[in-house]
Amino acid sequence: MVPEWKPEWVRRAIERIREEVEKGHQAYIVCPRIEGEGGVETMSVQLRNLPLRGLRVEMLHGKMPDKDEVMERFARGEIDVLVATTVIEVGVDVPNATVMLIRESENFGVSQLHQLRGRVGRGGNDSVCLLHTTAEPDSKSYRRIQAIADTPSGFDLAELDLRQRHEGDILGTLQSGTKRTLKLLDLSHDRDIVERTHADAAALVERNPELAEELTHNLSADEQEFLEKN
């Protein structure tokens, strides 16, 4: 965690990036936007002229016509620090990248942060992902980022994401949120029950498919609606 309200921590994060580059490695700095304060364009200029002066700092975002060329140059080791948007989230494999600083990490989702930090450490070297945040220490956003920083497992993060965002309308189109069709189950607490019923249903279909089909076809409209809601 790198809180904005601890400027010495912010300076240390930048120092860590310089240290990794001096060891011959590379770094990502991820920003939540392209333009404006804290955006890729502004940050790349500020870093190039001040704390990372002397390093090869370049920017990358989805609106650049030469974005593929920039990414290829970074992969070849011709760029030390890449200041980018989430365009690097997937499909980027640079084994020499060992440090990532994600600025304003409270603006990203749980799974997105996990995908991003998976871009470093791909070459077997000791690596680190630093989550910068502007959230206040007693805020829900800050606690969420702290929980992500403390949770390296992708599976555990999925559980965390489910608890925070809820499952939404799993029988409809909403992917998250508190508008739930499930009434008698909570997927974040009743996983064992859900897994058991899934296994039992699969076993019944395997053992007696005719019975399984009959049970489904004999449901009335009201019974079907009740099951879908519960």
Side-chain angles (χ1 to χ4, degrees):
M1 289 280 288
V2 184
E4 179 67 21
W5 39 270
K6 289 189 176 182
E8 67 278 10
W9 289 29
V10 178
R11 287 193 295 270
R12 179 65 189 115
I14 299 299
E15 288 175 1
R16 180 62 186 274
I17 290 174
R18 181 178 284 278
E19 289 169 1
E20 288 298 311
V21 172
E22 289 174 350
K23 292 177 183 177
H25 299 304
Q26 294 163 274
Y28 297 102
I29 296 178
V30 180
C31 301
R33 65 191 68 89
I34 297 174
E35 303 174 344
E37 183 66 25
V40 168
E41 295 176 345
T42 301
M43 287 302 303
S44 60
V45 173
Q46 291 177 349
L47 293 169
R48 190 183 300 121
N49 292 336
L50 292 171
L52 296 181
R53 179 177 295 176
L55 303 187
R56 298 171 295 178
V57 179
E58 295 201 25
M59 69 176 180
L60 175 68
H61 58 76
K63 293 183 178 180
M64 295 172 55
D66 60 341
K67 57 182 179 294
D68 291 338
E69 178 186 346
V70 173
M71 195 63 243
E72 289 172 3
R73 290 176 52 227
F74 184 68
R76 292 196 300 266
E78 298 173 7
I79 298 171
D80 297 320
V81 181
L82 191 62
V83 184
T85 59
T86 56
V87 69
I88 65 165
E89 182 178 352
V90 294
V92 175
D93 188 4
V94 181
N96 194 45
T98 57
V99 60
M100 173 181 287
L101 172 62
I102 303 178
R103 288 188 51 82
E104 301 178 44
S105 58
E106 68 273 12
N107 290 304
F108 301 96
V110 173
S111 60
Q112 194 170 36
L113 289 172
H114 185 59
Q115 286 278 4
L116 285 168
R117 70 184 182 184
R119 298 305 96 194
V120 293
R122 303 177 72 82
N125 300 302
D126 290 338
S127 303
V128 63
C129 179
L130 305 169
L131 300 180
H132 166 269
T133 180
T134 61
E136 294 298 321
D138 58 346
S139 67
K140 182 178 179 180
S141 294
Y142 185 87
R143 291 192 295 271
R144 181 177 71 92
I145 298 303
Q146 184 66 67
I148 296 171
D150 294 339
T151 309
S153 165
F155 180 80
D156 291 339
L157 281 176
E159 291 282 326
L160 173 66
D161 196 23
L162 176 61
R163 290 195 301 271
Q164 292 182 342
R165 297 198 306 154
H166 305 289
E167 72 277 4
D169 182 5
I170 66 169
L171 298 171
T173 59
L174 296 178
Q175 297 181 3
S176 66
T178 56
K179 185 178 180 181
R180 310 168 67 234
T181 51
L182 292 178
K183 302 299 182 184
L184 303 181
L185 285 175
D186 185 329
L187 295 186
S188 62
H189 297 102
D190 298 322
R191 195 178 89 196
D192 291 345
I193 296 175
V194 174
E195 290 179 346
R196 174 63 185 274
T197 54
H198 184 273
D200 288 348
L204 175 61
V205 172
E206 179 70 22
R207 184 174 65 253
N208 194 335
E210 294 80 8
L211 175 59
E213 184 175 357
E214 181 182 349
L215 290 172
T216 303
H217 284 168
N218 287 340
L219 290 175
S220 67
D222 289 342
E223 289 172 332
Q224 183 68 37
E225 182 179 2
F226 176 81
L227 288 176
E228 289 179 350
K229 290 182 177 180
N230 292 279

